[in-house]
Amino acid sequence: MTTKTHALAKSESALVPVMGLILLGAAILFTAGFAQAEMLHDSAHDVRHSIGFACH
Ligand SMILES: [Zn+2]
C-alpha cells in the first residue's frame, strides 16, 4: 500500500460517519414528516366524518 492510497482510504473512512449522520438525519426527517402527514391526514379524516362530509 502506498502512502497515497493509505491517505485516500483514511479520508474515505472519515467520510463514513458523516455520511451516516446525513442518512440518519434524512431518515429522521422523513419519518417525522411522514408521521406528521399521517397524523394530519387522520385528524382531517376524523373531522370530515364528524361533519358528515362524504369522503369514502
Ligand atoms: Zn373517511
Side-chain angles (χ1 to χ4, degrees), residues 1-22:
M1 195 184 265
T2 66
T3 315
K4 197 180 175 186
T5 48
H6 186 72
L8 186 67
K10 200 175 177 183
S11 68
E12 273 178 0
S13 69
L15 272 175
V16 171
V18 176
M19 290 300 285
L21 278 175
I22 290 170

Side-chain angles (χ1 to χ4, degrees), residues 2 5 14 17 19 25 42 50-51 53-54 56:
T2 66
T5 48
M19 290 300 285
D42 284 352
S50 65
I51 63 171
F53 188 83
H56 291 287

Side-chain angles (χ1 to χ4, degrees), residues 26-38:
I28 289 169
L29 278 177
F30 181 78
T31 307
F34 185 75
Q36 199 174 23
E38 197 173 33

